[in-house]
Structure formats: C-alpha cells, structure tokens
Amino acid sequence: MNKLTTVEKLDKKQIEGFFSEALNIEKTWPNLKKIGENKTICLFFWEPSTRTKLSFEHAAKALGFNVLDFSPSLSSVQKGESLEDTLNTLISLKIDGLVMRHPENKISEQIAKLLPKEVLFINAGDGNHAHPTQGLLDAFTISKLKNISDAKVAIIGDVKHSRVIPSLFSGLKKMDCTQIEFFGPKELIPSNFTPQKNDITENCLEGFDFLYVLRIQNERFLEDENLDLQNYIKNYQVNDKFLEFTNFDGKIMHPGPVNLDYEITKSVSNSNNSIILDQVENGLYLRAGILSLLID
C-alpha cells in the first residue's frame, strides 16, 4: 500500500504500524535514516494550511526527500489548466510522491486512481470528507497517554463540517475505542455520530479522559445553513466555567486552527491540561512515519 486516502481503508495492524514507526521517529529525531534520498515529494495544497503542510514539509526534508511546493495561485491552473493535466505534468517531472489538500469532497479517490502505481499519495484533507493523517495523529496522541481501548473521548463542536472527525472516529473505533460521545447543537452533529448530547448538563463530562474541541467551520456552511454564534458561545464554549460545570478534568485537544474566544478560551487552550501543541509535535512524527512506510 502506498496510497492513503481514508482511515476507513486501514486495518488495526496498519494503524499500529504507523504508531510504532512514529515512536521510532520521535526517538531518533532529527537524525533520521534518509530513505527519501534522490526522491521527490510534491506538496499539492489547494487550500491554506499551517500545521499539516509545514509538518509534511519538515518531515519530508528530514527524511532526505526533495520537496516541491505546488501553489495553484502561481501555476497554470490560473490559465485554465485542468487538474488532470497538472497531475500529468507532475508525473512527467518524475515525482515519487504527492501530498494533496483540495476543497472537493472525495477527490482524493480520483487522484489516487489517476496516479501511477509507484507514486506515493497521501490525502491531506479533501473537503469535509477525510483528513486521515490528522485523525491518525490525534489517535496517536491519545495512545501515548492512555490505552485507546480504555479511553473515554468527548467531541464537541462542528462535527458536521469537519473532515477530521470521520477520520478520527474511524481510527479510534478500529483501535477498539468504544467510549466516544458527541456534544453540541443538533444542527452541527449528523445523526450517524452517536451517542450525542445537545444540552450541556452539570457533571456531563465527569470521567472523560479527553475533550476534543472543534471550531465552527463557517467556510463550509451551505447557503441555507446558519448558526447563532453568540448562542453557541454561551452554551458550548469551552472555558473555565464550562469545565467546572461539566466536571471535566481530562486533557484538552483541538486539531487547529484554534479560534480563541469562540469555541475555546485562551486560558483553557494554554492550560496545563491542554495537549494541543503535543498534537502538533506528534503530527510531525506521525507524518514522517507514514512517509517512511508508504515510500517503500
């Protein structure tokens, strides 16, 4: 396997292999084996990115890859070149791997089929369909603190428009995590994500190990969708009062970017219980591990 489009297509053994390789990368960083020497990875990002793009670039360079940074705004895409023609150009330039982010749902599946068998492909987020490396790095972060099968995870916020949650949810389930609950307004949690709690009640997060906070993804709202932001902040913002009321005393997670004073306050985001920056660091090791295993 050298194409990663969704977590759903992985099995437990493959996920465990990624985690094991990430731990090896962490132990030896930055003195990594240059498995990418004389090979080229193209970062193909059609949407803005900080954590995902930079961690892939840093990981690839640490592994010895040459890295091409493709920017649609500075390419012939602006002159009408099709996506397929762009891909054929990159293939002709002898790339060995492609890491892609794109706003279209499920386009990763099309890209994987268009690429030659020998070219590595990693979906770095497509629409609100999937974000496999983010889901895997978050599960990896959880696994470093607690056996995933014993972990109790609460997810709060805009599940509906998140491409991370399908990947994280699938990864946790494949790693035998059975204690996952969703919190937030009904219009932001699809019915297939259960159990869900639409009202925040006293002590409702007691005993949970992790609280995974999501931002409101306004850029993915359809024209007929709307949200009373002030009402959301009043009822669902993760702040000190919220933590005290819900009796949550576990670790705070967030896939980023964080919109401070909307879904979470600065004091909580920067608290001792926050492992948001640990997620970023673990993303570096996990993505380096995935590149290491898939390039073979």
Side-chain angles (χ1 to χ4, degrees), residues 182-196:
F182 297 88
F183 295 80
K186 186 175 182 179
E187 62 267 30
L188 291 184
I189 308 178
S191 59
N192 56 308
F193 290 105
T194 58
Q196 58 178 266

Side-chain angles (χ1 to χ4, degrees), residues 255-275:
V258 177
N259 289 329
L260 293 175
D261 295 324
Y262 286 87
E263 74 272 10
I264 191 171
T265 58
K266 184 176 181 179
S267 63
V268 173
S269 178
N270 294 344
S271 69
N272 291 334
N273 282 349
S274 172
I275 55 172

Side-chain angles (χ1 to χ4, degrees), residues 150-167:
D150 297 325
K152 193 171 183 181
V153 181
I155 298 172
I156 185 168
D158 187 3
V159 175
K160 181 177 182 179
H161 302 97
S162 173
R163 57 184 163 212
V164 176
I165 293 307
S167 298

Side-chain angles (χ1 to χ4, degrees), residues 159-177:
V159 175
K160 181 177 182 179
H161 302 97
S162 173
R163 57 184 163 212
V164 176
I165 293 307
S167 298
L168 174 61
F169 187 59
S170 180
L172 290 175
K173 299 292 275 187
K174 287 176 183 290
M175 296 298 287
D176 303 319
C177 180

Side-chain angles (χ1 to χ4, degrees), residues 18-19 31 36 46 128 152 167 201 205 257 291:
F18 288 148
F19 289 3
N31 302 310
W46 291 64
N128 60 3
K152 193 171 183 181
S167 298
T201 57
L205 294 178
L291 284 171

Side-chain angles (χ1 to χ4, degrees), residues 28-230:
T28 55
W29 186 273
N31 302 310
L32 307 183
K33 182 179 179 182
K34 305 301 181 183
I35 63 164
E37 193 169 17
N38 298 321
K39 295 179 180 179
T40 299
I41 292 288
C42 179
L43 303 181
F44 196 72
F45 278 63
W46 291 64
E47 288 184 321
S49 172
T50 301
R51 283 153 293 276
T52 303
K53 185 176 181 181
L54 289 180
S55 60
F56 265 120
E57 181 176 3
H58 195 14
K61 289 180 177 178
L63 291 167
F65 287 97
N66 298 313
V67 177
L68 297 180
D69 186 356
F70 178 90
S71 175
S73 64
L74 300 176
S75 75
S76 292
V77 170
Q78 300 303 315
K79 301 176 182 178
E81 183 175 74
S82 70
L83 176 59
E84 187 169 353
D85 282 344
T86 302
L87 287 174
N88 287 333
T89 298
L90 293 173
I91 294 167
S92 297
L93 291 174
K94 304 300 180 184
I95 64 168
D96 300 284
L98 181 68
V99 178
M100 188 202 72
R101 170 168 292 185
H102 197 281
E104 184 177 333
N105 284 346
K106 298 186 179 181
I107 197 169
S108 59
E109 303 293 348
Q110 300 176 39
I111 302 300
K113 292 176 182 178
L114 289 171
L115 293 173
K117 290 182 179 180
E118 67 273 14
V119 175
L120 171 154
F121 174 71
I122 298 174
N123 176 16
D126 57 343
N128 60 3
H129 169 239
H131 194 348
T133 62
Q134 182 69 49
L136 289 170
L137 78 86
D138 291 329
F140 175 59
T141 299
I142 289 172
S143 74
K144 293 174 71 175
L145 298 173
K146 192 176 182 71
N147 189 314
I148 290 184
S149 62
D150 297 325
K152 193 171 183 181
V153 181
I155 298 172
I156 185 168
D158 187 3
V159 175
K160 181 177 182 179
H161 302 97
S162 173
R163 57 184 163 212
V164 176
I165 293 307
S167 298
L168 174 61
F169 187 59
S170 180
L172 290 175
K173 299 292 275 187
K174 287 176 183 290
M175 296 298 287
D176 303 319
C177 180
T178 60
Q179 302 179 90
I180 308 170
E181 295 187 21
F182 297 88
F183 295 80
K186 186 175 182 179
E187 62 267 30
L188 291 184
I189 308 178
S191 59
N192 56 308
F193 290 105
T194 58
Q196 58 178 266
K197 308 285 180 62
N198 305 125
D199 296 320
I200 303 301
T201 57
E202 191 170 9
N203 299 324
C204 65
L205 294 178
E206 184 176 5
F208 279 87
D209 302 297
F210 301 92
L211 177 59
Y212 193 95
V213 186
L214 295 165
R215 71 181 176 90
I216 304 300
Q217 302 196 33
N218 292 298
E219 72 276 14
R220 296 202 182 102
F221 275 48
L222 301 177
E223 287 186 6
D224 61 347
E225 293 181 304
N226 59 74
L227 180 72
D228 185 335
L229 184 57
Q230 292 307 311

